[in-house]
């Protein structure tokens, strides 16, 4: 695990990396380090997975959801500014699909208010923003090694930071808050004696998972190249299909291509997104939806009194997004088959 942390930190260009057993654990641990008080608010994107919002709640904060931009579906800095209050403590941008969020604007907002930026980079390995690797920008960045991610340890996560004291705190809190971890206690040079410094968590990863991670990490750029090639081919084959909105890539980023998400324009087709999913399934093509925005789910809707009209971009995108198959092992013919299936459905269902 220590070797994996060191190699990951070198690969990203971050001074410190702390391995944990999931990105959800990484987010919770990062937020826990803020020691939020009741009423403290954390702003994040509504266009994200369940873990982002839940980690804020479990760390004792109040999630404040903000809308996303229409092109990349990343956190909209203008909406973040509208939702700032004296109680705001942190901002959690989500690098949706592997496209970096507008970090300069977000960091500027944070610096002006003395807020902490914790990046949800579950999709964003390896990605870059204006020449800087994701994992080196905010105070803390959280990565995922879940089975579907760009590299995998089966289950796992990592936190990167520039702050050595913060890294040390995270290492204590990830394993029950003990002053000495198992390695220090059970080696010949170690001691059985320990102190509980904090009511910590069982968030450590295993050496078995880390061993998988080391091998995967050495293939990081090979795997990204395959994803990028498949994404480019999708764009080439689908760019002339009216009614399909393809992923937008801003010129100042390097996209990690965790997901290839198209949007189905309901004005141009007789069928809605859900029926596209069923028709593709009948043709042997598995797809998914990333994501149903948090503000549409009962917990957030009812607990915080949220309405679809408060998040016009995310609400609209949530009804249109469709994630196409994208993984390194795809053959060129697989990409072409998916694209042709989409073209067929588009032709026969056009208004």
């Amino acid at each position: 695990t220590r070797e994996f942390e060191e190699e990951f930190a070198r690969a990203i260009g971050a001074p410190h990396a702390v391995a944990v057993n999931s990105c959800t654990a990484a987010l919770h641990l990062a937020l826990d380090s803020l020691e939020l008080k009741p009423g403290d608010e954390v702003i994040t994107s509504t266009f994200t997975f369940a873990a982002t919002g839940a980690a804020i709640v479990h760390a004792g904060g109040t999630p404040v959801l903000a809308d996303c931009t229409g092109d990349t579906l990343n956190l909209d800095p203008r909406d973040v500014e509208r939702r700032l209050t004296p109680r705001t403590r942190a901002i959690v941008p989500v690098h949706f699909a592997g496209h970096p969020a507008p970090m300069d604007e977000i960091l500027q907002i944070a610096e002006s208010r003395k807020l902490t930026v914790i990046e949800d980079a579950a999709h964003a390995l390896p990605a870059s923003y204006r020449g800087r690797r994701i994992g080196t920008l905010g105070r803390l960045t959280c990565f995922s090694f879940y089975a579907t991610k760009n590299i995998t340890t089966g289950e796992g996560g990592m936190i990167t930071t520039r702050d050595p004291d913060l890294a040390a705190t995270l290492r204590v809190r990830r394993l029950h808050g003990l002053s000495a971890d198992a390695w220090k206690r059970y080696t010949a040079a170690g001691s059985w004696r320990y102190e509980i410094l904090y009511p910590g968590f069982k968030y450590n990863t295993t050496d078995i998972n880390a061993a998988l991670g080391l091998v995967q990490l050495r293939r990081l750029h090979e795997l990204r190249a395959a994803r990028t090639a498949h994404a480019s081919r999708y764009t080439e084959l689908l760019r002339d299909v009216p009614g399909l909105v393809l992923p937008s890539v801003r010129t100042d980023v390097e996209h990690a291509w965790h997901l290839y998400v198209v949007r189905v324009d309901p004005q141009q087709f007789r069928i809605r997104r859900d029926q596209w999913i069923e028709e593709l399934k009948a043709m042997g093509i598995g797809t998914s939806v990333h994501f149903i925005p948090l503000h549409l789910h009962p917990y957030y809707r009812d607990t915080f009194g949220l309405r679809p009209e408060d998040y016009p971009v995310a609400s609209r995108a949530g009804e249109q997004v469709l994630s196409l198959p994208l993984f390194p092992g795809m053959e060129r013919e697989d990409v072409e088959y998916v694209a042709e299936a989409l073209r067929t459905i588009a032709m026969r269902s056009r208004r």
Side-chain angles (χ1 to χ4, degrees), residues 137-303:
L137 302 175
R139 187 164 187 241
L140 295 147
T141 307
C142 302
F143 294 93
S144 174
F145 308 130
Y146 181 64
T148 60
K149 295 304 191 294
N150 291 23
I151 68 168
T152 182
T153 60
E155 281 276 13
M158 191 77 77
I159 310 171
T160 58
T161 182
R162 293 184 298 273
D163 186 333
D165 294 332
L166 183 53
T169 295
L170 296 171
R171 293 182 196 283
V172 169
R173 293 188 181 189
R174 75 174 167 183
L175 189 64
H176 301 301
L178 304 184
S179 59
D181 64 21
W183 179 267
K184 293 172 183 172
R185 285 185 286 128
Y186 295 131
T187 59
S191 169
W192 56 268
R193 190 175 297 279
Y194 64 89
E195 294 179 312
I196 299 171
L197 305 177
Y198 183 81
F201 310 97
K202 186 68 169 71
Y203 282 169
N204 61 298
T205 194
T206 70
D207 285 337
I208 294 171
N209 292 97
L212 291 171
L214 280 165
V215 177
Q216 286 272 292
L217 188 59
R218 290 159 194 161
R219 299 183 61 205
L220 177 61
H221 296 290
E222 166 203 339
L223 297 172
R224 180 190 175 276
R227 286 178 173 272
T228 301
H230 296 328
S232 297
R233 185 64 175 148
Y234 271 138
T235 299
E236 180 185 342
L237 296 170
L238 296 171
R239 60 163 50 104
D240 64 341
V241 180
L244 280 187
V245 180
L246 305 188
S248 177
V249 182
R250 296 188 180 183
T251 57
D252 57 358
V253 307
E254 179 186 22
H255 202 307
W257 289 116
H258 174 57
L259 300 172
Y260 191 93
V261 179
V262 301
R263 280 176 270 179
V264 179
D265 185 349
Q267 303 301 316
Q268 298 204 39
F269 300 106
R270 297 190 308 275
I271 62 173
R272 302 186 74 80
R273 186 269 317 278
D274 295 9
Q275 193 169 339
W276 281 74
I277 292 173
E278 294 305 314
E279 295 205 17
L280 288 165
K281 184 178 180 180
M283 300 168 80
I285 298 168
T287 57
S288 192
V289 171
H290 299 86
F291 293 105
I292 303 170
L294 294 186
H295 70 271
L296 298 178
H297 291 280
Y299 173 77
Y300 295 94
R301 181 193 66 209
D302 299 342
T303 303

Side-chain angles (χ1 to χ4, degrees), residues 331-345:
E331 300 291 343
R332 185 180 176 90
E333 293 77 12
D334 297 330
V335 176
E336 292 170 351
Y337 177 69
V338 174
E340 186 57 34
L342 286 164
R343 185 179 294 276
T344 298
I345 295 169

